[in-house]
Structures are given as structure tokens and as C-alpha cells.
């Protein structure tokens, strides 16, 4: 039993390391999100850091419209980055889970 416990602790430490490595990698994963008409483009990392915003000249003529576009497109970009981030981290965490009888049923059920 003690050997099992040590093995489990090592597996948890290994998983924590993989999670940290994944978090670092997600900082380099770039996602592009556009407005429906392509007048605004946002580039964001999977760790939800805005890297670039491209604005079509015609949007610069209407401050209120530009603000609306920014809110909508940034929110879409953040939501998409969050999905990618959570999926990647969940996959690493699940992969590193020790085999505990019945645990998979709890996680999947």
C-alpha cells in the first residue's frame, strides 16, 4: 500500500509539472477571431492575452460602432481561448489521474 501511495504521489507531481508546461505552451498558441463582416480581427493567445487588433478604416468613422465591434469580437475571442485553454488543461489533468477504482465513473457520469 505504501508503494502505491508513493507511486500515486509521484504521478500527481508529474501531472502538476505537465499542467505547468501546458500553461506555458498555451501562451504561445494564437487564435484569430473576426467580426462577422471581417472589419475587425483580434488575435489572442489560448491563455487569454490579446496580441493584436486589426480595425478596418471604415470602423474608425463611427466610434459607437467600433466600440460595439470591439466588445463583441473580444468576448468571442476570450470565450474561444477559454474553451481551448480548459480543454487542453483538462486533457493533461485527466491523463495524469491515478487509477482509482470508480473515479472514472464519477468524472464521466
Amino acid at each position: 500500500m505504501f508503494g502505491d501511495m508513493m507511486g500515486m504521489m509521484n504521478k500527481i507531481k508529474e501531472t502538476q509539472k505537465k499542467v505547468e508546461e501546458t500553461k506555458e505552451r498555451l501562451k504561445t498558441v494564437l487564435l484569430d477571431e473576426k467580426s462577422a463582416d471581417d472589419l475587425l480581427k483580434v488575435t489572442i493567445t489560448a491563455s487569454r492575452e490579446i496580441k493584436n487588433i486589426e480595425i478596418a478604416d471604415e470602423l474608425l468613422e463611427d466610434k459607437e460602432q467600433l466600440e460595439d465591434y470591439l466588445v463583441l469580437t473580444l468576448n468571442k475571442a476570450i470565450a474561444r481561448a477559454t474553451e481551448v485553454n480548459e480543454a487542453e488543461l483538462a486533457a493533461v489533468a485527466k491523463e495524469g489521474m491515478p487509477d482509482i477504482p470508480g473515479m472514472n465513473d464519477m468524472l464521466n457520469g
Side-chain angles (χ1 to χ4, degrees):
M1 171 149 167
F2 186 69
D4 290 346
M5 188 64 122
M6 289 300 292
M8 203 179 305
M9 293 301 289
N10 286 337
K11 187 146 178 113
I12 290 170
K13 283 182 184 176
E14 186 180 308
T15 299
Q16 287 172 331
K17 183 178 180 215
K18 285 183 181 178
V19 166
E20 289 307 313
E21 289 170 354
T22 301
K23 285 181 181 179
E24 285 302 310
R25 184 178 57 77
L26 289 172
K27 291 178 182 179
T28 66
V29 174
L30 298 178
L31 305 167
D32 290 326
E33 191 63 56
K34 299 177 185 176
S35 60
D37 55 11
D38 288 343
L39 294 180
L40 181 73
K41 179 181 165 189
V42 173
T43 303
I44 188 170
T45 68
S47 59
R48 297 176 294 266
E49 180 182 346
I50 304 294
K51 287 295 190 179
N52 191 43
I53 297 176
E54 294 176 25
I55 302 170
D57 289 341
E58 59 197 86
L59 280 179
L60 297 177
E61 298 164 12
D62 185 344
K63 180 180 184 280
E64 207 171 290
Q65 183 182 18
L66 174 56
E67 290 169 348
D68 290 344
Y69 269 64
L70 282 168
V71 168
L72 290 171
T73 308
L74 286 169
N75 280 333
K76 279 178 21 183
I78 291 167
R80 189 161 156 231
T82 299
E83 287 174 16
V84 170
N85 187 296
E86 289 175 356
E88 290 284 326
L89 291 175
V92 171
K94 186 175 182 184
E95 176 186 304
M97 287 292 289
D99 270 336
I100 300 171
M103 183 63 90
N104 282 339
D105 294 337
M106 286 175 35
L107 293 174
N108 296 327

